[in-house]
Amino acid sequence: MKGNYRWVVVALLFFATTINYLDRQVIGLLKPTLEKELNWSETDYSFIVMCFTASYAIGLLAFGKVIDKIGSKMGYAISIVIWSFAAMAHALAKTSFGFGAARAALGAGEAGNFPAAIKTVAEWFPKRERALATGIFNSGANIGAMVAPIMVPWILGAYGWEEAFLITGAIGFVWLILWWVFYEVPSKHKSVTTEELAHIQNVEEETTEVAPIAWGKLFGYRQTWVFIVGKFFTDPIWWFFLFWLPSYFSTTFALDLKKPSLHLAILFTCTSIGSIGGGYISGYFIKKGWPVYKARKYSMFFFALCAVPIIGARWATDIWQAVFLISIAASAHQAWSANIFTTVSDMFPKHAVSSVVGIGGLAGSLGGVIFPYIIGVVLDAYKADQALSAGYNVIFVACGCAYLFAWLLIHFISPKMEAVKS
């Protein structure tokens, strides 16, 4: 019997990613409460978001290199300890500067999640299964964002905003125990059968082995720039969904964020379908005999098209119409994300995967620094004219176009996304 312990590993990655996004989503749901207490403007809030994304960018760069050196087990453990303490530290903040500092620490710690997870998938799965495995663990982002609108308002109403940060932040330490007990690399794990190990190490699917690549030389490969471009232009859209959608629904449709939100929960539940489905679709094409690059690229083009309907949210006359249109785009993002992450393990040897993920994540986070600043300026300008909803409509146009633009650049940089040979 082949054995299926690799799917237990995916479950661990899924729950880590769920906690990761639960912790980062809390502030978006508490924004209406905190902006009243601290008198934040939209620009003030955008700078707090920028503290997170800027620190996240630096952390990705650091964790990418560190995890390739010390391994995913220790790297993941260090990451979740930092981010869990940082999440809890928000409860001590009393000023916008304090929140900015706490967000910066959170971003630095949370940056380790994806480099460690993608490296783990590359170590535990043959190439034809990686997009599905990535889609499954990446769907944890959606579950975290789905649970938060239900859990956080309840804690806020029952205990207060400080406790919302303390309780959600503490969950990471429970996961850390499970990770330390149940995880090890496949070749050393007692629960992995000989047959499953042979399945994981399918040499027919692997790229030609190459000598270790110096970190600085990674920038000289077109394959690295495929990932950089794909992340830079699309990651900021996901940041917008996470940090501004609760406020958008509150100001545009009078959604009460002090109560559990069915609308947001449903929206982010739909994105789980996109994440898992996005990984399945490209894997299905590969099993049908398509070249790996063709399966990934055609799938990503389809997902880019699926993001376009969000532009129509400007004509939504009730909240459920907006939820429907935004759900499609957010699901498309997660399907895109499952594939853009997997292109790294498609094109690079395992020893360079975390480093490339860190570099691309840095690019995505830099975009996530720039875009929130633009959002804050746009929303404050439209708010001054008593037309805040029109400001969101401008942003939805940018969201709808970003993925097609990124896909065209990727196609121009590397039409066939070949594997690194030397």
Side-chain angles (χ1 to χ4, degrees):
M1 187 174 179
K2 183 170 64 177
N4 292 296
Y5 194 84
R6 63 194 184 282
W7 299 107
V8 175
V9 173
V10 169
L12 287 170
L13 302 181
F14 167 85
F15 285 114
T17 306
T18 298
I19 297 166
N20 186 282
Y21 273 81
L22 172 63
D23 287 342
R24 75 175 68 177
Q25 178 76 343
V26 173
I27 197 167
L29 293 160
L30 296 178
K31 177 176 178 280
T33 299
L34 294 172
E35 67 184 0
K36 290 179 181 178
E37 289 198 18
L38 302 176
N39 196 31
W40 290 345
S41 67
E42 293 290 346
T43 302
D44 291 331
Y45 180 66
S46 72
F47 276 113
I48 292 172
V49 172
M50 288 165 64
C51 287
F52 174 88
T53 51
S55 179
Y56 190 78
I58 297 170
L60 278 165
L61 205 59
F63 267 114
K65 295 176 65 177
V66 169
I67 291 169
D68 273 336
K69 287 185 177 181
I70 69 175
S72 52
K73 184 171 185 176
M74 180 62 73
Y76 228 142
I78 293 171
S79 171
I80 202 163
V81 167
I82 294 172
W83 99 54
S84 296
F85 274 123
M88 297 173 72
H90 284 68
L92 303 176
K94 302 301 179 186
T95 65
S96 56
F97 177 82
F99 274 96
R103 296 307 286 178
L106 181 69
E110 288 201 343
N113 184 77
F114 281 98
I118 297 298
K119 186 177 182 69
T120 300
V121 167
E123 292 172 338
W124 274 86
F125 286 86
K127 191 172 293 185
R128 65 180 178 274
E129 293 181 344
R130 288 177 191 169
L132 178 59
T134 301
I136 291 173
F137 91 70
N138 190 49
S139 70
N142 317 315
I143 300 302
M146 178 200 74
V147 171
I150 298 172
M151 182 177 180
V152 173
W154 178 81
I155 298 174
L156 173 64
Y159 303 105
W161 65 263
E162 293 93 342
E163 286 76 7
F165 286 113
L166 289 171
I167 293 170
T168 54
I171 297 173
F173 294 106
V174 177
W175 179 88
L176 178 61
I177 296 171
L178 298 175
W179 176 252
W180 206 253
V181 171
F182 291 104
Y183 183 79
E184 188 51 86
V185 294
S187 59
K188 298 180 181 179
H189 208 295
K190 296 179 181 179
S191 297
V192 176
T193 65
T194 303
E195 292 81 4
E196 184 175 17
L197 185 61
H199 176 76
I200 292 168
Q201 298 175 339
N202 189 338
V203 289
E204 292 181 2
E205 288 191 346
E206 296 303 316
T207 58
T208 302
E209 192 60 34
V210 298
I213 304 171
W215 184 84
K217 290 185 178 180
L218 290 171
F219 289 93
Y221 291 99
R222 289 180 292 113
Q223 293 90 335
T224 303
W225 288 96
V226 165
F227 191 59
I228 288 174
V229 166
K231 297 290 282 181
F232 180 81
F233 287 103
T234 63
D235 272 17
I237 311 305
W238 185 245
W239 298 129
F240 168 69
F241 292 154
L242 285 179
F243 297 133
W244 267 277
L245 282 186
S247 182
Y248 164 72
F249 286 123
S250 176
T251 56
T252 305
F253 299 104
L255 182 66
D256 186 357
L257 294 179
K258 292 183 179 179
K259 299 178 181 178
S261 172
L262 181 64
H263 306 85
L264 287 167
I266 289 176
L267 190 156
F268 286 110
T269 299
C270 291
T271 60
S272 294
I273 299 172
S275 182
I276 298 172
Y280 174 81
I281 288 172
S282 61
Y284 172 81
F285 288 141
I286 293 171
K287 289 180 180 178
K288 287 293 183 180
W290 285 32
V292 172
Y293 84 89
K294 183 178 179 181
R296 302 277 188 244
K297 186 166 285 187
Y298 274 73
S299 297
M300 289 169 66
F301 180 69
F302 173 71
F303 304 140
L305 291 175
C306 289
V308 175
I310 195 175
I311 296 173
R314 64 183 304 165
W315 294 291
T317 56
D318 66 65
I319 190 170
W320 285 112
Q321 290 177 358
V323 167
F324 175 73
L325 291 170
I326 297 170
S327 293
I328 294 173
S331 299
H333 171 88
Q334 290 299 76
W336 169 280
S337 184
N339 282 274
I340 193 69
F341 271 124
T342 311
T343 61
V344 179
S345 57
D346 291 340
M347 297 186 293
F348 286 90
K350 293 176 183 178
H351 58 71
V353 166
S354 286
S355 293
V356 177
V357 169
I359 292 169
L362 167 66
S365 296
L366 288 177
V369 172
I370 297 168
F371 197 46
Y373 174 76
I374 295 171
I375 292 171
V377 171
V378 169
L379 294 183
D380 272 337
Y382 278 90
K383 183 185 286 187
D385 292 334
Q386 304 294 313
L388 186 58
S389 295
Y392 279 108
N393 294 338
V394 172
I395 296 164
F396 286 144
V397 172
C399 293
C401 297
Y403 299 88
L404 281 175
F405 183 68
W407 188 91
L408 289 171
L409 288 177
I410 288 171
H411 182 71
F412 176 78
I413 292 169
S414 184
K416 291 190 176 182
M417 297 194 297
E418 301 94 342
V420 169
K421 300 298 184 184
S422 61

